[in-house]
């Protein structure tokens, strides 16, 4: 019998552009009608004089209002719920990286659909039912735990719900159970590798084939470094609680951009200032509408994530849009001495340097009204020869490379391995103490 991994994408994954468009229009009509049942959209539609019937095809999406994180907060706790409470089987909240959480609800069909989307991601990357999967992500309200868990289980993988943290146990489980597929944040995967190297162990000896890495922004340079350390193929995984969680977009074997499952999400990329669509291929804010969620449809959700669509067809044959690596969140951008800097620009430079470990922190302070930026990195154990002169030379070199990238001089601190705080989930890369 063929593996479910070979079949799970059959219904939606290979649709032609025209089939996708037709499915999206139909699903959008359903979603809008469903949304109108919630107290929140009910009032919103009435205010705008909008009737669900006004939306006939996916091009009518522009008739609908945007939904923001603030709208979700205002409708907290259940203002966007469209079904009687007894039909709800699960809720999650966003991890609250940026303020008060927002609650998202799912019916039985919703969690089934989410598991299918997630299973399609893992299958697309090459996972099959004979793989052993370790989920190194926090469980609970955070969607990276149960989201990946149910997707992997749906595929029939042997699932180890290791949860976040406890690095020694993670390594032990991977080794003893011959884990072949993992899910983690890239920063935590880096921490596990460094810990092994520090203990004279080799991450390659674990034999992991596939890693789903996401939940936080990271650069191509960090991916390459991790692939090199572990010998696995790393696939970028994108999602957000408001759109279920993981399972929204994922890389195919081409590892060149993430396919967004367009049967479940209608995608727009807009200019965050004018709210108009950007030219194809330009960077803008990702806006998404749920097409397959009943308990809590969300229309034109402004994710605040900045990305662009990769034009052209993917050699893998899937017509679902490909999205480039996230530039960051619109609210991630740092303004330092009136210069706009994204943490990812700094990470790019850091990860290119083999002598630097995988962890880093950007520390912002003020000195006599002038912004000060200090980039703190750890020297890799293998690169430290005991000489202060070496450290000084490496620091000056990094400072020059950073200046070329960001246009001003940052302070650089080169620290011993293991000096910087480690996060088990999403890494906190920026400490801003400028008030
Ligand atoms: P919170 O918004 O509180 O962090 P979530 O856990 O829902 O809650 O996080 C979703 C956010 O995480 C996304 O909006 C995005 O900013 C970030 N994210 C998730 N996956 C990726 C990824 N692969 N690349 C970059 N950013 C990501
Ligand atoms: Zn592809």
């Amino acid at each position: 019998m063929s593996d479910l991994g070979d079949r799970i994408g059959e219904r939606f994954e290979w649709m032609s552009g025209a089939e996708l468009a037709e499915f999206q229009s139909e699903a959008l009509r359903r979603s809008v009608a469903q949304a109108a049942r919630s107290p929140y959209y009910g009032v919103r539609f009435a205010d705008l004089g909008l009737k669900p019937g006004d939306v006939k095809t996916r091009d009518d999406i522009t008739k609908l209002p945007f939904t923001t994180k603030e709208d979700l907060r205002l409708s907290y706790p259940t203002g966007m719920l469209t079904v009687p409470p007894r039909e709800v089987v699960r809720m999650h909240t966003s991890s609250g990286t940026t303020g008060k959480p927002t609650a998202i609800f799912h019916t039985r069909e919703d969690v089934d659909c989410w598991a299918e989307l997630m299973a399609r991601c893992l299958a697309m990357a090459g996972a099959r039912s004979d793989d052993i999967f370790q989920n190194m992500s926090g469980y609970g309200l955070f969607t990276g735990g149960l989201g990946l868990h149910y997707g992997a289980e749906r595929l029939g993988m042997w699932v180890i719900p290791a949860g976040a943290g406890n690095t020694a146990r993670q390594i032990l489980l991977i080794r003893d159970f011959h884990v072949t597929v993992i899910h983690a944040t890239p920063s935590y995967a880096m921490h596990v590798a460094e810990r092994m190297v520090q203990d004279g162990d080799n991450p390659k000896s674990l034999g992991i084939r596939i890693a789903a890495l996401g939940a936080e922004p990271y650069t191509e340079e960090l991916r390459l470094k991790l692939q090199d350390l572990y010998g696995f193929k790393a696939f970028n995984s994108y999602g957000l609680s408001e759109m279920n969680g993981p399972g929204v977009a994922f890389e195919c074997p081409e590892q060149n951009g993430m396919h967004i499952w367009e049967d479940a999400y209608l995608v727009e990329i807009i200019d965050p200032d004018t709210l108009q669509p950007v030219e194809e291929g330009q960077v803008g804010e990702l806006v998404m509408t749920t097409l397959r969620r009943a308990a809590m449809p969300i229309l034109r959700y402004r994710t605040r994530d900045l990305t662009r669509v990769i034009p052209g067809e993917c050699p893998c044959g899937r017509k679902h849009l490909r999205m480039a690596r996230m530039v960051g969140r619109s609210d991630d951008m740092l303004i330092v001495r009136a210069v706009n800097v994204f943490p990812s620009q700094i990470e790019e430079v850091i990860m290119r340097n083999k002598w630097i470990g995988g962890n880093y922190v950007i520390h912002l302070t003020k000195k006599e009204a002038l912004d000060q930026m200090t980039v703190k990195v750890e020297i890799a154990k293998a690169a430290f020869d005991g000489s202060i002169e070496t450290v000084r030379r490496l620091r000056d070199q990094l400072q020059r490379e950073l200046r070329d990238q960001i246009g001003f001089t940052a302070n650089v601190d080169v620290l011993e391995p293991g000096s910087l705080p480690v996060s088990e989930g999403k890494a906190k890369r920026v400490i801003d103490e400028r008030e």
Side-chain angles (χ1 to χ4, degrees), residues 12-23:
F12 293 108
E13 230 161 293
W14 306 100
M15 280 178 158
S16 68
E19 284 168 330
L20 260 176
E22 198 187 314
F23 180 84

Side-chain angles (χ1 to χ4, degrees), residues 199-320:
D199 295 344
D201 201 346
N202 182 355
K204 284 202 178 75
S205 70
L206 296 174
I208 303 168
R209 277 191 327 118
I210 294 172
L213 303 179
E216 64 187 8
Y218 62 115
T219 54
E220 187 60 27
E221 284 74 11
L222 178 53
R223 185 229 298 265
L224 295 176
K225 201 159 182 166
L226 286 166
Q227 291 195 149
D228 195 44
L229 279 163
Y230 282 96
F232 56 38
K233 262 187 112 174
F235 296 85
N236 197 0
S237 164
Y238 171 85
L240 63 167
S241 315
E242 292 80 359
M243 297 288 123
N244 291 348
V248 173
F250 207 88
E251 280 180 323
C252 70
E254 301 291 327
Q255 290 179 300
N256 181 26
M258 298 176 277
H259 288 286
I260 308 184
W261 293 137
E262 288 191 87
D263 50 290
Y265 304 99
L266 186 61
V267 177
E268 300 167 85
I269 310 272
I270 63 162
D271 177 325
D273 297 322
T274 64
L275 305 184
Q276 293 305 307
V278 297
E279 297 281 329
E280 199 197 349
Q282 298 301 304
V283 172
E285 180 177 350
L286 175 67
V287 170
M288 283 188 287
T289 299
T290 60
L291 295 176
R292 293 177 62 192
R293 195 163 70 199
M296 185 171 171
I298 301 185
L299 309 175
R300 305 190 88 193
Y301 183 63
R302 294 190 54 183
T303 64
R304 297 182 296 177
D305 289 326
L306 300 177
T307 184
R308 65 191 173 84
V309 166
I310 300 178
E313 285 201 6
C314 185
C316 80
R318 290 175 184 85
K319 303 289 186 272
H320 298 255

